[in-house]
Amino acid sequence: ASNDTSLNRPLIHFTPEKGWMNDPNGLFYDNVTDLWHMYYQFNPNDTVWGQPLYWGHATSKNLTTWTHENIAIGPDSDDAGVFSGSIVIDYNNTSNFFNSSINPGQRVVAFYTYNTAESQTQYVAYSLDGGYTFTKYSGNPVLNLNSTQFRDPKVFWHDETEKWIMVLALSQEYKVQIYSSENLKEWELQSNFSHHGILGYQYECPGLSKIPIVKSSDSSLNSSNSTSPDYKWVMFLSINPGAPQGGSFTQYFIGDFDGKNFTADDHQTRFLDFGKDYYAFQAFDNTPNNDVLGVAWASNWEYGGFVPTSPWRSSMSLIRNFTLQEYHPNGEATELNLFSQPVIDHDVLNANHTIHKGNLTIGSGKNVTFDFHNSATGLVELNVTFKVNTSSIRPHDFVDLSFYLRGASDPHEYLRLGYENTAPAFFLDRGNSKVNFVSSNPFYTDKTSVNFLPYSTELNTYKIYAIADRNILEVYLNDGLAVSTNTFFFTEGNHIGSIDVIAGIDGVYELVDFEVKQLSV
Ligand code: FRU
């Protein structure tokens, strides 16, 4: 196509070859073949959302690069959609869908919402070939409330009660319904988790995961209270529209789950990601060591249908690994928070350039320019630890430490990100681009920020890990205490090729450690 923008296609963020993609679905790990499966909401016929809507399919050996597979599940008519849902491995054949010829580790059962003009009902399908093709259960639907706003079943095995659990949204009643089952076909309502968090227009894509509490690397926090549990349950919940950042976002709640009720510890809604592009989060089933790994759609319903990419629209986020850790949001409180780490297998990537510096004091002129001009791949990792010398700051100084990630062929297109000490906050400005969409779309928020406190108070030290991949930037602050995921759009082929570091005031910032890596697949 004349407007093909394939040079800007992300390298390690999954994109469909062509067509429209939204939510991740059916995430599971096959431990027989050591393969990760990801399905997704897919319209192969257009680059905007539309029906017939399918489950597209991709697989990965390393959670870093993906192989496109054939469409896995489709609707029975063109005006219907196979909406979001999940997959479990039915080791013990509780569903009776399998016979002994199917390896217990490959007894794949899918749950999805069947969307028609009349209703949203819950369907089951099973796979006899490890997740490539599916047979729809003859007793569908397995749940029907005569509602048009009832969707996104996420199913998992609950060890403690030895039952299957399904959470799904009665979207416009602001209810997450919790059902249980012994055979994956008959489901009994246990409770409603209702009217929690930010409501917005509607609830979508709930999830419930048991997440380990790990000791913080901040030594002031290790209270060694032996009676505290080593995990908590976390409810994930997406809303759209009505997000605080605009459009769609994913919130979470920390609490307990007894097989019937989820009880939140407090009344707080927490952000899974502070950027504009992290929606419909889902966790993988059947992971090694019960690690909590998950992925989100890296876009926003406010503008996802307008972004300047072709012949596809949207990518997924990187896969993330989640743990709970304590932290100090201020001088008096100690709170639990989700920590996110990107899962990247560097063995499958080539590091074309690495620049590593330590103990550099940054001034207000242009400092440490790194230049990949002749070989920009568009995949760049930035790892920074910096220290703030507050004694040389006067009141009302605007004291930023800015990283300018500039296009290789046109440096006037750039991302500016960094930290400012008066706010204090991390900031990102993705608005410096010649692409018409960036300046003209009123929902494409240029500037976002996140509260950012020292990683280590004594040393006044902060950490930023950022990865830019062609048209998406993920930033992890202080080892994943806060994350911000945002797409960005430069002129096609103008890959990030240099980084300038500039401070607002001389002598305030020291780069304790600074590493830039340019990678390729
Ligand atoms: C969330 C969502 C889901 C629905 C799917 C349809 O982005 O609206 O609630 O199942 O997308 O594609």
Side-chain angles (χ1 to χ4, degrees), residues 314-349:
S314 304
S315 68
M316 293 300 178
S317 69
L318 292 174
I319 309 305
R320 288 181 193 165
N321 186 336
F322 295 89
T323 55
L324 288 161
Q325 290 182 35
E326 287 186 338
Y327 84 115
H328 294 306
N330 55 43
E332 296 183 10
T334 303
E335 297 289 321
L336 269 183
N337 194 77
L338 272 182
F339 276 66
S340 317
Q341 287 293 323
V343 177
I344 301 172
D345 184 352
H346 282 92
D347 291 348
V348 301
L349 303 175

Side-chain angles (χ1 to χ4, degrees), residues 422-435:
T422 309
F426 167 84
F427 61 82
L428 168 66
D429 181 355
R430 58 175 178 170
N432 302 287
S433 162
K434 293 176 181 166
V435 173

Side-chain angles (χ1 to χ4, degrees), residues 177-474:
Q177 294 212 302
I178 302 178
Y179 290 80
S180 71
S181 173
E182 299 195 337
N183 59 13
L184 295 173
K185 296 169 177 163
E186 292 151 309
W187 293 92
E188 257 179 60
L189 181 64
Q190 300 302 323
S191 68
N192 290 295
F193 179 72
S194 142
H195 289 86
H196 284 266
I198 292 169
L199 303 178
Y201 177 71
Q202 58 188 348
Y203 282 180
E204 298 186 316
C205 301
L208 193 53
S209 296
K210 187 175 175 175
I211 305 200
I213 299 174
V214 305
K215 290 286 175 217
S216 166
S217 44
D218 179 344
S219 55
S220 72
L221 287 166
N222 293 338
S223 46
S224 71
N225 177 355
S226 57
T227 62
S228 61
D230 53 1
Y231 66 87
K232 291 293 270 187
W233 287 85
V234 170
M235 171 81 75
F236 300 97
L237 186 55
S238 289
I239 64 156
N240 175 63
Q245 311 100 311
S248 38
F249 96 125
T250 309
Q251 56 192 327
Y252 71 92
F253 311 93
I254 303 173
D256 296 312
F257 178 61
D258 61 5
K260 292 178 189 292
N261 291 282
F262 173 77
T263 313
D265 284 353
D266 56 35
H267 297 285
Q268 185 55 43
T269 182
R270 294 176 170 84
F271 286 59
L272 193 52
D273 189 290
F274 290 86
K276 281 279 284 203
D277 297 305
Y278 198 80
Y279 193 60
F281 171 85
Q282 186 178 116
F284 279 86
D285 191 66
N286 200 42
T287 56
N289 315 312
N290 296 318
D291 283 347
V292 182
L293 302 178
V295 59
W297 178 48
S299 189
N300 191 313
W301 283 111
E302 274 185 340
Y303 51 72
F306 302 96
V307 297
T309 60
S310 176
W312 81 96
R313 273 211 182 96
S314 304
S315 68
M316 293 300 178
S317 69
L318 292 174
I319 309 305
R320 288 181 193 165
N321 186 336
F322 295 89
T323 55
L324 288 161
Q325 290 182 35
E326 287 186 338
Y327 84 115
H328 294 306
N330 55 43
E332 296 183 10
T334 303
E335 297 289 321
L336 269 183
N337 194 77
L338 272 182
F339 276 66
S340 317
Q341 287 293 323
V343 177
I344 301 172
D345 184 352
H346 282 92
D347 291 348
V348 301
L349 303 175
N350 307 308
N352 306 1
H353 282 277
T354 303
I355 291 149
H356 192 188
K357 308 242 166 160
N359 299 83
L360 283 175
T361 301
I362 299 300
S364 52
K366 187 164 146 184
N367 286 264
V368 278
T369 300
F370 298 103
D371 204 325
F372 302 138
H373 275 205
N374 295 321
S375 60
T377 62
L379 182 60
V380 179
E381 271 184 323
L382 176 66
N383 227 320
V384 186
T385 304
F386 64 91
K387 216 161 94 176
V388 187
N389 174 8
T390 45
S391 64
S392 47
I393 300 175
R394 294 158 306 174
H396 314 301
D397 279 343
F398 187 86
V399 201
D400 65 309
L401 173 66
S402 289
F403 300 88
Y404 292 81
L405 280 55
R406 297 187 184 277
S409 47
D410 182 353
H412 299 296
E413 292 189 318
Y414 59 89
L415 298 173
R416 177 184 176 186
L417 54 104
Y419 168 79
E420 199 284 319
N421 192 72
T422 309
F426 167 84
F427 61 82
L428 168 66
D429 181 355
R430 58 175 178 170
N432 302 287
S433 162
K434 293 176 181 166
V435 173
N436 183 49
F437 165 81
V438 172
S439 53
S440 64
N441 187 297
F443 297 117
Y444 182 78
T445 320
D446 286 358
K447 299 181 178 71
T448 53
S449 63
V450 187
N451 171 224
F452 191 15
L453 293 160
Y455 170 77
S456 159
T457 330
E458 295 132 64
L459 300 172
N460 234 352
T461 302
Y462 301 72
K463 289 188 188 179
I464 299 176
Y465 168 80
I467 180 159
D469 181 10
R470 296 281 173 89
N471 68 15
I472 176 163
L473 176 77
E474 299 196 15

Side-chain angles (χ1 to χ4, degrees), residues 4-263:
D4 186 303
T5 62
S6 292
L7 288 177
N8 285 0
R9 186 189 283 275
L11 297 173
I12 63 169
H13 288 77
F14 176 76
T15 54
E17 275 172 319
K18 66 175 188 63
W20 165 267
M21 174 175 80
N22 55 290
D23 314 359
N25 296 149
L27 308 170
F28 79 98
Y29 173 64
D30 177 342
N31 59 21
V32 179
T33 55
D34 186 23
L35 202 62
W36 298 85
H37 290 258
M38 175 161 68
Y39 305 79
Y40 53 91
Q41 292 288 284
F42 185 38
N43 177 7
N45 302 313
D46 203 344
T47 48
V48 291
W49 189 93
Q51 301 190 120
L53 195 77
Y54 299 81
W55 273 27
H57 183 203
T59 55
S60 177
K61 277 271 168 206
N62 49 44
L63 292 176
T64 304
T65 53
W66 293 88
T67 303
H68 293 278
E69 306 290 355
N70 292 331
I71 284 176
I73 309 179
D76 301 325
S77 87
D78 282 357
D79 56 1
V82 177
F83 272 25
S84 284
S86 56
I87 277 177
V88 295
I89 302 298
D90 184 15
Y91 283 95
N92 294 323
N93 195 17
T94 62
S95 61
N96 214 21
F97 287 141
F98 306 97
N99 62 36
S100 56
S101 73
I102 308 295
N103 188 316
Q106 292 191 313
R107 293 177 176 169
V108 175
V109 183
F111 304 83
Y112 60 88
T113 299
Y114 195 56
N115 180 71
T116 66
E118 294 75 41
S119 67
Q120 292 185 337
T121 56
Q122 314 319 316
Y123 274 45
V124 180
Y126 54 94
S127 176
L128 303 177
D129 61 4
Y132 294 88
T133 62
F134 286 81
T135 306
K136 291 168 188 165
Y137 169 48
S138 57
N140 281 330
V142 295
L143 276 177
N144 179 3
L145 299 186
N146 295 313
S147 167
T148 57
Q149 304 297 334
F150 180 44
R151 61 183 177 271
D152 307 339
K154 171 65 175 156
V155 177
F156 61 93
W157 176 252
H158 188 246
D159 247 338
E160 295 82 346
T161 56
E162 300 195 312
K163 283 196 173 133
W164 297 105
I165 302 294
M166 177 192 288
V167 294
L168 77 174
L170 255 177
S171 294
Q172 301 191 356
E173 296 180 29
Y174 302 117
K175 282 181 185 158
V176 177
Q177 294 212 302
I178 302 178
Y179 290 80
S180 71
S181 173
E182 299 195 337
N183 59 13
L184 295 173
K185 296 169 177 163
E186 292 151 309
W187 293 92
E188 257 179 60
L189 181 64
Q190 300 302 323
S191 68
N192 290 295
F193 179 72
S194 142
H195 289 86
H196 284 266
I198 292 169
L199 303 178
Y201 177 71
Q202 58 188 348
Y203 282 180
E204 298 186 316
C205 301
L208 193 53
S209 296
K210 187 175 175 175
I211 305 200
I213 299 174
V214 305
K215 290 286 175 217
S216 166
S217 44
D218 179 344
S219 55
S220 72
L221 287 166
N222 293 338
S223 46
S224 71
N225 177 355
S226 57
T227 62
S228 61
D230 53 1
Y231 66 87
K232 291 293 270 187
W233 287 85
V234 170
M235 171 81 75
F236 300 97
L237 186 55
S238 289
I239 64 156
N240 175 63
Q245 311 100 311
S248 38
F249 96 125
T250 309
Q251 56 192 327
Y252 71 92
F253 311 93
I254 303 173
D256 296 312
F257 178 61
D258 61 5
K260 292 178 189 292
N261 291 282
F262 173 77
T263 313

